[in-house]
Amino acid sequence: SYTVLHTGFLDMSQFPKKQHIYKPIIIGNNVWIASHCVISAGVKIGNNIIIGANSFVNKDLEDGWFYAGNPVKKIKRINK
């Protein structure tokens, strides 16, 4: 609950010109996203992943890990 997936962002690299950019979020199989997470545009979340509550995902996530934090970081390898 209360997790947000942002597929767009504002590119300010040529300020004062602003451009809206849209990138898909790809979520793999067997992924559990806890409540109150924010997932940024263009992120690829691999397979067999757990994302802890209140995490900010701003980078691609490798298969088979528990991630948490703001910004998100690897916490522990998940054994199958």
Side-chain angles (χ1 to χ4, degrees), residues 25-77:
I25 295 170
I26 299 170
I27 301 175
N29 296 315
N30 197 31
V31 174
W32 183 65
I33 302 172
S35 62
H36 296 275
C37 291
V38 176
I39 315 293
S40 293
V43 168
K44 294 176 187 169
I45 298 173
N47 299 309
N48 305 311
I49 289 175
I50 298 171
I51 302 172
N54 300 306
S55 295
F56 173 55
V57 181
N58 61 343
K59 61 183 177 184
D60 293 349
L61 304 183
E62 183 182 336
D63 293 353
W65 285 86
F66 168 62
Y67 292 87
N70 184 4
V72 74
K73 64 180 179 178
K74 286 182 184 176
I75 303 296
K76 185 175 181 180
R77 186 84 162 135

Side-chain angles (χ1 to χ4, degrees), residues 9-12 14 17-21:
F9 62 95
L10 192 60
D11 180 7
M12 299 291 286
Q14 298 178 2
K17 181 183 176 195
K18 297 172 247 165
Q19 182 178 9
H20 288 277
I21 306 291

